[in-house]
Amino acid sequence: MSLPPFLLEILVCPQCHAPLAESSDQDGPELRCTGDGCGLIYPVRDEIPVLLVDEARRPS
């Protein structure tokens, strides 16, 4: 899974408004906040980013 580059340029973390970066987990693709104090990880389901703070998880 790879999101189009133009989409990654405009997507930001809903919590802190930092840019998001693509990453992968055993559960599948995800978007990771690049903000220093935030670091939330948002799931990507059926190639659609779920940018809800309630659906995000904290890094382990």
Side-chain angles (χ1 to χ4, degrees), residues 44-55:
V44 178
R45 296 185 188 127
D46 297 324
E47 298 184 19
I48 300 171
V50 180
L51 298 179
L52 300 171
V53 175
D54 291 340
E55 293 284 324

Side-chain angles (χ1 to χ4, degrees), residues 27-53:
D27 296 330
E30 54 194 18
L31 293 173
R32 182 178 302 267
C33 176
T34 60
D36 291 332
C38 185
L40 290 175
I41 301 168
Y42 299 93
V44 178
R45 296 185 188 127
D46 297 324
E47 298 184 19
I48 300 171
V50 180
L51 298 179
L52 300 171
V53 175

Side-chain angles (χ1 to χ4, degrees), residues 7-25:
L7 191 57
L8 283 174
E9 289 177 15
I10 61 172
L11 288 178
V12 295
C13 175
Q15 178 79 20
C16 70
H17 306 290
L20 296 172
E22 285 186 284
S23 63
S24 291
D25 191 319

